[in-house]
Amino acid sequence: MDAQVIVVGAGPAGMMLAGELRLAGADVIVLEKLAARTGESRGLGFTARTMEIFDQRGLLPRFGDIEVSNVGHFGGLPVDFAVLDGAHQAAKTIPQSATETVLEEWATQLGADIRRSCEVLSLTEKEDSVEVEVRGPSGVHTLRADYLVGCDGGRSTIRKAAGFDFPGTASTLEMFLADVKGISLPPRMIGETLPGGMVMVGPLPGGVTRLIVCERGTPPQRRETPPTWQEVADAWQRLTGDDISHAEPVWVSSFGDATRLVTEYRRGRVLLAGDSAHIHLPAGGQGMNTSIQDAVNLGWKLGAVVRGRAPEALLDTYHAERHPVGQRLMMNTRAQGLLFLSGAEVQPLRDVLNELIAYPEVSRHFAAMVSGLEIRYDIDGGSHPLLGRRLPDVRLTGDKLVHSSTDALQRARGVLLDLSDNAGLRRRATPWQDRVDVITAAAADLPAGSPLEGTTAVLLRPDGYVAWAAPGSHADLPMALERWFGPAR
């Protein structure tokens, strides 16, 4: 084998997955056909759940000063993220190029082998391995690994070569995206619906302004090259009446509202993550964030399997958990597109939703949906309200080295939080001590109504989701440990 895992694609999903695999001790090669990062940034900022993930791995300081905001939107309707639990809100105006730089440096420091100018031409799955034919700087050669993961975007070569089904709907419109300099426009951070379409304006660092322009009734085009700046400026003038053609474009692109989701995230030894598995209207900045969360769900599982610490069946939970998340993503981005991009015929629906979203429970529902905090995986192990959910950051007292549940996850291992100093509980976990850290501490400063109130122990997976919790039968703990971390040793 050339590596235990080959990852194709060096975007946010591929780099996050490479880092997670290295934390699990797996050998990984990342193949990227581009010689260097483009510097372009379709994605901007992080959802609250992605902020939590980066914090769990100690990555947030690498991004420098992060501007956060409690204000978001759902299809142009304002949403207040302050109603959610957790230590983080959404991050604003962090270019995707900066995210890719941070994640590539992190994965490289962890030992990932990143090979640029390497294009995958074909793949062959065998009983015990996957082979890829690669065209690189030294010519065409073959690489072999236990597993292959396609993180190579919406036009994924890996998805097509492996025969994944990718049903959905084609684009019905074309939208322009442009980063420009030399203009001053009032911010339209959640967009503005106009008689002829929609425009969005957001300030970026370095005097750059992000523009998004959707002219209603504009059919999608099969472009071989990006649109010209003049096309964008002309559409802007038709919608707003303002001439911005004098601005200096940094880069210009176009996109549509195609919505597609693979029917399976895994086929044998080939798996997909990120845009390779799902494409959709980029509403609410969910695309890159969902892709990073795919990678974190998969990384520790795949790492455990290739290291021989868990059975191959663990990989089936990747599809079982992330495909429903993809379905919710398709549903909510299509709904937002209808609200945001339709004409006056949808205004009564916008008005009704504006009334509903003023209710705290409705606002919380929409905020949790677009932030990634609503996710609850189907984990059969009891009825505790935290089971299958991510554990919000909890301050811990009593341990000299670990001061919060977030700190406890930085090694990307399982964590058993013994919150009642129960020696018998700790003995049950001893056979898994090579894979699970046991921390005896007390939860402090819990907010009123916290589901941790009265909880005596919590088993966390490396991705921060709760796999088992007490009160409940401690006899169930070994079963949960074996299910998620393999047989006892």
Side-chain angles (χ1 to χ4, degrees):
M1 298 291 180
D2 295 285
Q4 291 170 313
V5 181
I6 293 174
V7 175
V8 181
M15 289 294 93
M16 191 75 206
L17 179 59
E20 292 290 296
L21 287 166
R22 287 301 301 141
L23 287 173
D27 296 326
V28 57
I29 294 173
V30 180
L31 302 175
E32 170 55 57
K33 68 179 181 180
L34 296 179
R37 291 187 295 273
T38 65
E40 298 177 357
S41 297
R42 289 181 177 268
L44 291 175
F46 311 135
T47 61
R49 179 59 190 147
T50 300
M51 290 282 282
E52 289 181 342
I53 286 172
F54 286 159
D55 200 7
Q56 287 170 186
R57 298 298 186 255
L59 289 171
L60 284 184
R62 295 178 181 234
F63 291 97
D65 293 333
I66 296 177
E67 182 184 358
V68 298
S69 173
N70 292 335
V71 179
H73 74 93
F74 184 90
L77 306 175
V79 173
D80 182 8
F81 292 129
V83 300
L84 300 173
D85 65 336
H88 297 288
Q89 302 295 333
K92 298 171 58 179
T93 64
I94 299 176
Q96 182 174 325
S97 58
T99 303
E100 292 178 357
T101 299
V102 166
L103 293 180
E104 182 167 346
E105 290 175 350
W106 173 64
T108 301
Q109 289 167 5
L110 290 172
D113 182 357
I114 301 171
R115 304 181 184 182
R116 290 190 171 272
S117 301
C118 289
E119 181 181 6
V120 174
L121 304 177
S122 65
L123 68 86
T124 303
E125 184 178 356
K126 300 188 175 183
E127 183 177 348
D128 62 346
S129 63
V130 181
E131 291 183 354
V132 289
E133 185 181 32
V134 182
R135 180 167 54 219
S138 59
V140 176
H141 59 283
T142 299
L143 295 175
R144 184 167 173 250
D146 293 311
Y147 290 90
L148 173 70
V149 186
C151 298
D152 51 336
R155 299 179 180 179
S156 172
T157 296
I158 301 304
R159 184 187 65 239
K160 296 171 184 175
F164 284 82
D165 292 327
F166 198 39
T169 59
S171 287
T172 62
L173 51 81
E174 182 177 54
M175 301 175 69
F176 295 133
L177 184 155
D179 287 353
V180 301
K181 293 183 176 181
I183 58 173
S184 177
L185 295 172
R188 297 175 170 98
M189 296 298 294
I190 63 173
E192 180 181 354
T193 300
L194 301 170
M198 185 276 297
V199 295
M200 184 178 294
V201 182
L204 299 180
V208 175
T209 299
R210 163 67 54 92
L211 304 178
I212 296 178
V213 187
C214 177
E215 192 171 12
R216 199 172 298 117
T218 303
Q221 298 188 38
R222 299 182 65 87
R223 296 180 181 269
E224 299 297 328
T225 59
T228 65
W229 166 239
Q230 192 60 52
E231 287 181 86
V232 180
D234 288 346
W236 183 274
Q237 187 164 26
R238 287 192 294 269
L239 289 174
T240 69
D242 297 329
D243 181 6
I244 59 171
S245 59
H246 59 281
E248 176 190 351
V250 178
W251 69 285
V252 177
S253 182
S254 63
F255 60 94
D257 61 342
T259 303
R260 298 187 182 276
L261 176 68
V262 289
T263 56
E264 51 193 341
Y265 279 35
R266 176 194 177 201
R267 296 195 70 184
R269 294 183 174 271
V270 182
L271 303 101
L272 301 177
D275 291 348
S276 301
H278 40 72
I279 60 172
H280 54 89
L281 184 75
Q286 297 174 85
M288 181 186 74
N289 289 274
T290 302
S291 298
I292 288 170
Q293 292 162 39
D294 285 348
V296 174
N297 184 284
L298 175 60
W300 66 274
K301 297 173 181 177
L302 185 53
V305 170
V306 299
R307 293 296 305 279
R309 294 173 174 172
E312 185 182 354
L314 181 62
L315 293 180
D316 293 334
T317 68
Y318 173 57
H319 169 85
E321 293 179 349
R322 294 305 295 177
H323 191 264
V325 173
Q327 290 176 316
R328 293 281 288 174
L329 178 66
M330 300 301 102
M331 178 271 290
N332 92 60
T333 52
R334 290 188 69 185
Q336 291 192 68
L338 289 171
L339 288 170
F340 216 17
L341 305 178
S342 300
E345 72 278 6
V346 176
Q347 191 58 47
L349 178 60
R350 296 187 191 110
D351 293 340
V352 170
L353 285 175
N354 250 325
E355 291 183 11
L356 290 175
I357 213 164
Y359 291 93
E361 285 303 312
V362 176
S363 180
R364 185 176 293 108
H365 177 79
F366 282 119
M369 182 185 296
V370 298
S371 68
L373 299 187
E374 74 159 0
I375 295 168
R376 185 173 193 177
Y377 297 136
D378 184 9
I379 295 177
D380 182 18
S383 58
H384 195 285
L386 278 174
L387 196 66
R389 297 189 182 277
R390 108 284 183 219
L391 183 70
D393 184 59
V394 177
R395 192 168 74 86
L396 301 174
T397 60
D399 189 282
K400 294 181 180 179
L401 299 178
V402 178
H403 304 294
S404 72
S405 56
T406 296
D407 293 343
L409 290 163
Q410 289 202 7
R411 298 174 66 193
R413 288 162 53 91
V415 175
L416 177 62
L417 293 179
D418 172 17
L419 302 174
S420 59
D421 195 3
N422 188 315
L425 180 76
R426 296 194 295 273
R427 281 194 297 271
R428 290 183 183 274
T430 299
W432 287 269
Q433 62 185 353
D434 61 326
R435 287 153 283 170
V436 177
D437 296 326
V438 178
I439 297 171
T440 301
D445 302 330
L446 293 178
S450 169
L452 264 183
E453 287 184 347
T455 299
T456 57
V458 175
L459 176 64
L460 297 178
R461 308 186 324 184
D463 57 3
Y465 286 83
V466 176
W468 174 89
S473 172
H474 288 177
D476 294 341
L477 176 60
M479 289 188 290
L481 286 162
E482 183 166 352
R483 178 183 181 186
W484 297 108
F485 302 103
R489 292 183 181 177

